[in-house]
Amino acid sequence: MSDTQLKSALDTLKTTGVRITPQRHAILEYLIETMSHPTADDIYKALEHKFPNMSVATVYNNLRVFRESGLVRELTYGDNASRFDFVTTKHYHIICESCGKIVDFHYPGLDEVEHLAAHVTGFKVNSHRLEVYGTCPDCEEKATKLQ
Amino acid sequence: MSDTQLKSALDTLKTTGVRITPQRHAILEYLIETMSHPTADDIYKALEHKFPNMSVATVYNNLRVFRESGLVRELTYGDNASRFDFVTTKHYHIICESCGKIVDFHYPGLDEVEHLAAHVTGFKVNSHRLEVYGTCPDCEEKATKLQ
DNA sequence: TTATTTATTTATAATCGTTATAAATAGTTT
DNA sequence: AAACTATTTATAACGATTATAAATAAATAA
Ligand SMILES: [Mn+2]
Ligand SMILES: [Mn+2]
Ligand SMILES: [Zn+2]
Ligand SMILES: [Zn+2]
């Protein structure tokens, strides 16, 4: 499953003339297998045993390459470090305000919001960003136990 | 109109034991009268003729105070500087990807998204963030003229 | 009013995520 | 193998924001 995802991603890179280096391979592999939303530093730390000399700039450079190839989506959070999401399908995120956990969920059609926004502002609309914030089950349980 | 907004804001601060300093007054006044979404630095620059010795830290400190009092909302944009919005009503933003302009728009009830997200993830939901991205009429016109 | 206490401001240094730069290295083509 | 080019590495720089500590101003008490 994740093997085909990796192969497909490598193909996408090859066809756009991007060289497959060991570092690139490892970063992609990590993004796909963890199924999470790591920061650049998470990736850097996870791979340092395999690539003791890898620079953090290499991680950032390659995440940019992946983003530009449409393989990866960058999730920005103000002050905090960006998180990177290996893109499979269109989906939204719900974020735990207590522990920072990010969980995917699907929701169809917010086209209506885009249309209304375009109509009332005169903008030409390209995209939208939606996130839901709350408390994850784990953190919720911890909170109730303390009471 | 904006005068009553200012008075109400000052009242809110007073009742929570926050001192009304000339700097605070000026920052609040600026936020209310500009009707825009300035960065901390925008505010700092706009007030430097009135307060030549004001520190940029003062702007940040007070924006934090205002945020904690619920007077101001902070809009974060990854790498770029936060923008600050004097809160009057619940509303969303549409952002021009060409010039950065931020325009308010209203949209009722995305409660359904919150409910679905809560249901499928098990999270306890607090809030959500929605933004629409596109090109503003001015930038769109400039773009078509160039063709 | 004056003294005392406390909040706030100022000036400046530090932090942190990210990017820029330039030299070194590795991959690709001739 | 030689030449060319992309990529990596090491390191410095950047920009927004925060931390710190001394100076100042506001509020309260005497
Ligand atoms: Mn995701
Ligand atoms: Mn607004
Ligand atoms: Zn949590
Ligand atoms: Zn524009």
Side-chain angles (χ1 to χ4, degrees):
Chain A
M1 178 60 80
S2 65
D3 206 46
T4 54
Q5 287 185 297
L6 181 57
K7 269 182 191 136
S8 158
L10 294 172
D11 268 358
T12 303
L13 292 177
K14 268 181 205 155
T15 56
T16 52
V18 175
R19 291 181 187 166
I20 312 302
T21 65
Q23 293 90 338
R24 273 187 186 148
H25 194 280
I27 294 170
L28 264 182
E29 211 172 18
Y30 179 78
L31 278 167
I32 294 171
E33 82 191 5
T34 58
M35 300 271 293
S36 64
H37 305 83
T39 64
D41 202 59
D42 289 338
I43 299 169
Y44 177 66
K45 286 208 173 70
L47 299 180
E48 69 180 351
H49 70 280
K50 210 170 177 180
F51 299 91
N53 297 319
M54 184 167 65
S55 168
V56 69
T58 297
V59 178
Y60 279 103
N61 287 341
N62 287 329
L63 288 170
R64 177 154 29 92
V65 169
F66 298 159
R67 172 160 50 81
E68 286 164 357
S69 307
L71 294 174
V72 157
R73 188 161 299 153
E74 182 175 0
L75 314 172
T76 62
Y77 296 106
D79 222 10
N80 304 114
S82 287
R83 295 175 165 277
F84 295 88
D85 191 355
F86 184 81
V87 175
T88 48
T89 59
K90 199 190 161 201
H91 64 271
Y92 298 110
H93 295 111
I94 183 165
I95 299 159
C96 178
E97 287 168 320
S98 174
C99 71
K101 193 190 296 168
I102 299 178
V103 176
D104 293 346
F105 74 92
H106 294 263
Y107 188 84
L110 286 176
D111 302 342
E112 198 192 322
V113 185
E114 291 197 1
H115 286 144
L116 179 125
H119 183 251
V120 298
T121 64
F123 274 54
K124 182 166 167 286
V125 170
N126 292 327
S127 62
H128 68 266
R129 164 184 179 157
L130 170 77
E131 277 150 18
V132 178
Y133 295 89
T135 314
C136 76
D138 291 354
C139 288
E140 192 61 24
E141 193 187 5
K142 274 179 205 154
T144 50
K145 265 185 186 164
L146 286 177
Q147 242 96 287
Chain B
M1 178 59 85
S2 63
D3 206 47
T4 53
Q5 286 185 298
L6 181 57
K7 269 183 191 133
S8 157
L10 294 173
D11 267 359
T12 303
L13 292 177
K14 267 182 206 155
T15 56
T16 52
V18 175
R19 290 180 189 171
I20 312 301
T21 66
Q23 293 90 338
R24 273 185 187 150
H25 194 281
I27 294 171
L28 264 182
E29 212 171 18
Y30 179 78
L31 279 167
I32 294 172
E33 82 190 6
T34 58
M35 300 270 294
S36 64
H37 305 82
T39 64
D41 202 58
D42 291 336
I43 299 169
Y44 177 65
K45 287 205 173 72
L47 300 181
E48 68 180 352
H49 69 282
K50 210 170 178 179
F51 298 91
N53 298 318
M54 184 168 64
S55 170
V56 70
T58 297
V59 178
Y60 279 102
N61 287 340
N62 288 329
L63 288 170
R64 177 155 28 91
V65 169
F66 298 160
R67 172 161 50 80
E68 287 165 355
S69 307
L71 294 175
V72 158
R73 188 162 298 151
E74 183 175 359
L75 314 172
T76 62
Y77 296 106
D79 223 10
N80 303 114
S82 287
R83 294 175 167 276
F84 295 86
D85 192 354
F86 183 81
V87 175
T88 46
T89 59
K90 199 188 161 200
H91 63 271
Y92 298 110
H93 295 111
I94 182 164
I95 299 158
C96 179
E97 287 169 317
S98 174
C99 71
K101 192 190 297 168
I102 301 178
V103 175
D104 294 348
F105 74 93
H106 294 264
Y107 189 83
L110 286 176
D111 302 344
E112 199 193 321
V113 186
E114 291 197 0
H115 287 143
L116 179 126
H119 182 250
V120 298
T121 63
F123 274 53
K124 181 165 167 286
V125 170
N126 292 328
S127 62
H128 68 266
R129 166 183 179 158
L130 169 78
E131 275 150 19
V132 179
Y133 295 89
T135 315
C136 76
D138 290 354
C139 289
E140 192 61 23
E141 193 186 6
K142 275 178 204 152
T144 51
K145 267 186 184 163
L146 286 176
Q147 243 98 282

